[in-house]
Amino acid sequence: MSLHAQLSPEAIARLHAQQRNSTISSILISILVVVLAGIVLLYILLPQIESFTPEIVSYQTGQQDKEIIEKREIARAVQRQPSAPSSSMAKVIAANVASPVAIPVPDTVVDSPSLELGNGDDFGDGWGDGWGVAGGSGGGFGSTSKLDGTITGHLYDFKQSPEGEALSDYNIQNRAHFTDRINRLHRSRYSDLSLDRYFRTKQPLYVRYIAIPFSNASDGPRFFNAEKEVKPSGWIAHYHGQVVAPKNGTFRFAGAGDDYLSVTVNKKFRLVAAWSDIMDTVAVRGANATQHPNHRSPIGTAPLTYGDWFTVRKGQVLDLSITLGERPGGKVGFVLMLEEKGVDYRTTSSGQPVLPPFSMGPLSPQDVADLKKFPGWEWETENVPVFLAK
């Protein structure tokens, strides 16, 4: 009978655990040895990568000749107001004698003689005393300050794109290039979208009434501080705002424009008055209803035009736009009046009623004095319905 020694279960378990630990340790050591050997082999066998900083080579072409851009210099007027006129206009207009002398435009060079130079050599007393100067009371082309009783206007140039590039399809000698654009604006009722097709100057002006005697066409751009950007032809000044009717009543506009004047009320044309050579082309039914042969205007031979009657109620808010335009350059002039139905106005020797200006604010003593200096023309300055601008 032989004797066999046997281990206890606890000893067997401990022995198995030691075996597992030894096996795991051996495996880990083998893996580490293989990895280490691989690293050593890579370091020995692979070529060393050289690092370098690439040389930056620049190339320079020969210096090009500078392009010489010829730019016409435009002399700025020393004064910001139109030149002082004499008192000869009214007398010469009465004689209806055309002057053989071309009237120069001081600020820019006009490409061609104007067809609308008017009669006589100047424009009446007092024009150089400051009346209508930009920054003044809101007459003329307007004031640079936003005054009570004024609406806002901007100058637009048909000859340039909105970015200020010259348009090759505009010729100041071609009447249709002006009238086609005016009629397009008529169809859109002077919408912002239609006006955005043309170059607009930065400086706005604020106008209370329209009374501009014959003056240089360059005065329009100059008043808007744009004499360098806009040549004195193919431009419009567009004023827009809201006014309030002062009373219940029936009214009509009367006016004259060299070359173009229009008024809309609530987007409906109530007056279109233009120089005779374009009047038939830009006429709007109801807006140039009447022209009295013996009713003259103060704008040379431009006819005095009356619009249709329209009725308003007191306190009614009206959307109003007024547009002035010049086609070929030379001279401009504009007047806008308002006639109230049933009012017994005083008359001139020819029976023409003396009408008040259409005013969007109360006339100050200075305004009244300015209107009395308007050459060869009478205004009603006491009974003036004021359609107050909001």
PDB file of all heavy atoms in Angstrom, residues 76-82 133-134 221-227:
ATOM      1  N   ARG A  76     -15.292 125.806 -59.354  1.00  0.00           N
ATOM      2  CA  ARG A  76     -16.393 126.039 -58.423  1.00  0.00           C
ATOM      3  C   ARG A  76     -16.647 127.530 -58.308  1.00  0.00           C
ATOM      4  O   ARG A  76     -15.733 128.342 -58.327  1.00  0.00           O
ATOM      5  CB  ARG A  76     -16.072 125.485 -57.040  1.00  0.00           C
ATOM      6  CG  ARG A  76     -15.885 123.987 -57.009  1.00  0.00           C
ATOM      7  CD  ARG A  76     -15.572 123.544 -55.600  1.00  0.00           C
ATOM      8  NE  ARG A  76     -16.728 123.746 -54.729  1.00  0.00           N
ATOM      9  CZ  ARG A  76     -17.595 122.785 -54.451  1.00  0.00           C
ATOM     10  NH1 ARG A  76     -17.484 121.607 -55.001  1.00  0.00           N
ATOM     11  NH2 ARG A  76     -18.596 123.010 -53.629  1.00  0.00           N
ATOM     12  N   ALA A  77     -17.904 127.838 -58.205  1.00  0.00           N
ATOM     13  CA  ALA A  77     -18.248 129.242 -57.999  1.00  0.00           C
ATOM     14  C   ALA A  77     -17.825 129.657 -56.605  1.00  0.00           C
ATOM     15  O   ALA A  77     -17.908 128.886 -55.664  1.00  0.00           O
ATOM     16  CB  ALA A  77     -19.743 129.457 -58.175  1.00  0.00           C
ATOM     17  N   VAL A  78     -17.360 130.888 -56.439  1.00  0.00           N
ATOM     18  CA  VAL A  78     -16.941 131.363 -55.127  1.00  0.00           C
ATOM     19  C   VAL A  78     -18.143 131.498 -54.222  1.00  0.00           C
ATOM     20  O   VAL A  78     -18.115 131.142 -53.059  1.00  0.00           O
ATOM     21  CB  VAL A  78     -16.209 132.705 -55.260  1.00  0.00           C
ATOM     22  CG1 VAL A  78     -15.865 133.255 -53.900  1.00  0.00           C
ATOM     23  CG2 VAL A  78     -14.954 132.515 -56.110  1.00  0.00           C
ATOM     24  N   GLN A  79     -19.253 132.002 -54.756  1.00  0.00           N
ATOM     25  CA  GLN A  79     -20.460 132.170 -53.971  1.00  0.00           C
ATOM     26  C   GLN A  79     -21.395 131.002 -54.209  1.00  0.00           C
ATOM     27  O   GLN A  79     -21.399 130.406 -55.258  1.00  0.00           O
ATOM     28  CB  GLN A  79     -21.170 133.469 -54.340  1.00  0.00           C
ATOM     29  CG  GLN A  79     -20.367 134.708 -53.951  1.00  0.00           C
ATOM     30  CD  GLN A  79     -21.107 135.967 -54.313  1.00  0.00           C
ATOM     31  OE1 GLN A  79     -21.847 135.988 -55.276  1.00  0.00           O
ATOM     32  NE2 GLN A  79     -20.935 137.005 -53.532  1.00  0.00           N
ATOM     33  N   ARG A  80     -22.194 130.667 -53.205  1.00  0.00           N
ATOM     34  CA  ARG A  80     -23.125 129.567 -53.296  1.00  0.00           C
ATOM     35  C   ARG A  80     -24.485 130.020 -53.776  1.00  0.00           C
ATOM     36  O   ARG A  80     -25.466 129.339 -53.583  1.00  0.00           O
ATOM     37  CB  ARG A  80     -23.289 128.883 -51.921  1.00  0.00           C
ATOM     38  CG  ARG A  80     -22.027 128.314 -51.356  1.00  0.00           C
ATOM     39  CD  ARG A  80     -21.592 127.126 -52.145  1.00  0.00           C
ATOM     40  NE  ARG A  80     -22.638 126.139 -52.219  1.00  0.00           N
ATOM     41  CZ  ARG A  80     -22.628 125.130 -53.056  1.00  0.00           C
ATOM     42  NH1 ARG A  80     -21.655 124.991 -53.907  1.00  0.00           N
ATOM     43  NH2 ARG A  80     -23.606 124.250 -53.058  1.00  0.00           N
ATOM     44  N   GLN A  81     -24.575 131.223 -54.335  1.00  0.00           N
ATOM     45  CA  GLN A  81     -25.857 131.725 -54.769  1.00  0.00           C
ATOM     46  C   GLN A  81     -25.769 132.157 -56.218  1.00  0.00           C
ATOM     47  O   GLN A  81     -24.693 132.440 -56.730  1.00  0.00           O
ATOM     48  CB  GLN A  81     -26.287 132.888 -53.879  1.00  0.00           C
ATOM     49  CG  GLN A  81     -25.353 134.118 -53.980  1.00  0.00           C
ATOM     50  CD  GLN A  81     -25.724 135.158 -52.971  1.00  0.00           C
ATOM     51  OE1 GLN A  81     -26.002 134.863 -51.831  1.00  0.00           O
ATOM     52  NE2 GLN A  81     -25.741 136.392 -53.388  1.00  0.00           N
ATOM     53  N   PRO A  82     -26.890 132.190 -56.929  1.00  0.00           N
ATOM     54  CA  PRO A  82     -26.870 132.615 -58.331  1.00  0.00           C
ATOM     55  C   PRO A  82     -26.367 134.029 -58.483  1.00  0.00           C
ATOM     56  O   PRO A  82     -26.440 134.841 -57.570  1.00  0.00           O
ATOM     57  CB  PRO A  82     -28.332 132.477 -58.757  1.00  0.00           C
ATOM     58  CG  PRO A  82     -28.916 131.540 -57.775  1.00  0.00           C
ATOM     59  CD  PRO A  82     -28.172 131.766 -56.491  1.00  0.00           C
ATOM     60  N   VAL A 133     -31.305 131.275 -51.911  1.00  0.00           N
ATOM     61  CA  VAL A 133     -30.003 130.651 -51.735  1.00  0.00           C
ATOM     62  C   VAL A 133     -30.152 129.400 -50.889  1.00  0.00           C
ATOM     63  O   VAL A 133     -30.878 129.384 -49.901  1.00  0.00           O
ATOM     64  CB  VAL A 133     -29.025 131.635 -51.053  1.00  0.00           C
ATOM     65  CG1 VAL A 133     -27.705 130.961 -50.773  1.00  0.00           C
ATOM     66  CG2 VAL A 133     -28.828 132.856 -51.919  1.00  0.00           C
ATOM     67  N   ALA A 134     -29.471 128.304 -51.290  1.00  0.00           N
ATOM     68  CA  ALA A 134     -29.509 127.090 -50.486  1.00  0.00           C
ATOM     69  C   ALA A 134     -29.033 127.411 -49.079  1.00  0.00           C
ATOM     70  O   ALA A 134     -28.005 128.033 -48.877  1.00  0.00           O
ATOM     71  CB  ALA A 134     -28.621 126.022 -51.116  1.00  0.00           C
ATOM     72  N   PRO A 221     -27.824 121.798 -60.201  1.00  0.00           N
ATOM     73  CA  PRO A 221     -26.783 120.981 -59.567  1.00  0.00           C
ATOM     74  C   PRO A 221     -25.996 121.729 -58.498  1.00  0.00           C
ATOM     75  O   PRO A 221     -25.606 121.144 -57.485  1.00  0.00           O
ATOM     76  CB  PRO A 221     -25.887 120.596 -60.752  1.00  0.00           C
ATOM     77  CG  PRO A 221     -26.789 120.640 -61.938  1.00  0.00           C
ATOM     78  CD  PRO A 221     -27.739 121.767 -61.675  1.00  0.00           C
ATOM     79  N   ARG A 222     -25.764 123.040 -58.708  1.00  0.00           N
ATOM     80  CA  ARG A 222     -24.953 123.778 -57.737  1.00  0.00           C
ATOM     81  C   ARG A 222     -25.682 123.929 -56.401  1.00  0.00           C
ATOM     82  O   ARG A 222     -25.068 123.821 -55.333  1.00  0.00           O
ATOM     83  CB  ARG A 222     -24.568 125.150 -58.305  1.00  0.00           C
ATOM     84  CG  ARG A 222     -23.659 125.955 -57.408  1.00  0.00           C
ATOM     85  CD  ARG A 222     -22.840 126.959 -58.202  1.00  0.00           C
ATOM     86  NE  ARG A 222     -23.672 127.897 -58.932  1.00  0.00           N
ATOM     87  CZ  ARG A 222     -24.103 129.042 -58.414  1.00  0.00           C
ATOM     88  NH1 ARG A 222     -23.809 129.358 -57.170  1.00  0.00           N
ATOM     89  NH2 ARG A 222     -24.826 129.862 -59.149  1.00  0.00           N
ATOM     90  N   PHE A 223     -26.981 124.179 -56.440  1.00  0.00           N
ATOM     91  CA  PHE A 223     -27.733 124.271 -55.197  1.00  0.00           C
ATOM     92  C   PHE A 223     -27.672 122.948 -54.438  1.00  0.00           C
ATOM     93  O   PHE A 223     -27.658 122.925 -53.211  1.00  0.00           O
ATOM     94  CB  PHE A 223     -29.187 124.649 -55.477  1.00  0.00           C
ATOM     95  CG  PHE A 223     -29.439 126.133 -55.482  1.00  0.00           C
ATOM     96  CD1 PHE A 223     -28.878 126.944 -56.446  1.00  0.00           C
ATOM     97  CD2 PHE A 223     -30.237 126.729 -54.532  1.00  0.00           C
ATOM     98  CE1 PHE A 223     -29.102 128.309 -56.470  1.00  0.00           C
ATOM     99  CE2 PHE A 223     -30.476 128.096 -54.527  1.00  0.00           C
ATOM    100  CZ  PHE A 223     -29.898 128.893 -55.505  1.00  0.00           C
ATOM    101  N   PHE A 224     -27.675 121.839 -55.169  1.00  0.00           N
ATOM    102  CA  PHE A 224     -27.611 120.518 -54.537  1.00  0.00           C
ATOM    103  C   PHE A 224     -26.170 120.095 -54.261  1.00  0.00           C
ATOM    104  O   PHE A 224     -25.928 118.928 -53.941  1.00  0.00           O
ATOM    105  CB  PHE A 224     -28.292 119.477 -55.425  1.00  0.00           C
ATOM    106  CG  PHE A 224     -29.789 119.508 -55.361  1.00  0.00           C
ATOM    107  CD1 PHE A 224     -30.514 120.316 -56.227  1.00  0.00           C
ATOM    108  CD2 PHE A 224     -30.487 118.735 -54.439  1.00  0.00           C
ATOM    109  CE1 PHE A 224     -31.912 120.345 -56.183  1.00  0.00           C
ATOM    110  CE2 PHE A 224     -31.863 118.769 -54.385  1.00  0.00           C
ATOM    111  CZ  PHE A 224     -32.585 119.569 -55.255  1.00  0.00           C
ATOM    112  N   ASN A 225     -25.232 121.031 -54.380  1.00  0.00           N
ATOM    113  CA  ASN A 225     -23.818 120.772 -54.100  1.00  0.00           C
ATOM    114  C   ASN A 225     -23.285 119.631 -54.967  1.00  0.00           C
ATOM    115  O   ASN A 225     -22.549 118.760 -54.509  1.00  0.00           O
ATOM    116  CB  ASN A 225     -23.611 120.436 -52.617  1.00  0.00           C
ATOM    117  CG  ASN A 225     -22.156 120.542 -52.199  1.00  0.00           C
ATOM    118  OD1 ASN A 225     -21.384 121.295 -52.803  1.00  0.00           O
ATOM    119  ND2 ASN A 225     -21.768 119.786 -51.187  1.00  0.00           N
ATOM    120  N   ALA A 226     -23.690 119.625 -56.235  1.00  0.00           N
ATOM    121  CA  ALA A 226     -23.304 118.543 -57.140  1.00  0.00           C
ATOM    122  C   ALA A 226     -22.837 119.070 -58.483  1.00  0.00           C
ATOM    123  O   ALA A 226     -22.937 118.377 -59.492  1.00  0.00           O
ATOM    124  CB  ALA A 226     -24.476 117.594 -57.333  1.00  0.00           C
ATOM    125  N   GLU A 227     -22.294 120.284 -58.511  1.00  0.00           N
ATOM    126  CA  GLU A 227     -21.892 120.848 -59.795  1.00  0.00           C
ATOM    127  C   GLU A 227     -20.743 120.075 -60.431  1.00  0.00           C
ATOM    128  O   GLU A 227     -20.555 120.129 -61.654  1.00  0.00           O
ATOM    129  CB  GLU A 227     -21.512 122.334 -59.657  1.00  0.00           C
ATOM    130  CG  GLU A 227     -20.300 122.600 -58.778  1.00  0.00           C
ATOM    131  CD  GLU A 227     -20.654 122.828 -57.320  1.00  0.00           C
ATOM    132  OE1 GLU A 227     -21.612 122.198 -56.848  1.00  0.00           O
ATOM    133  OE2 GLU A 227     -19.978 123.628 -56.663  1.00  0.00           O
TER     134      GLU A 227
END
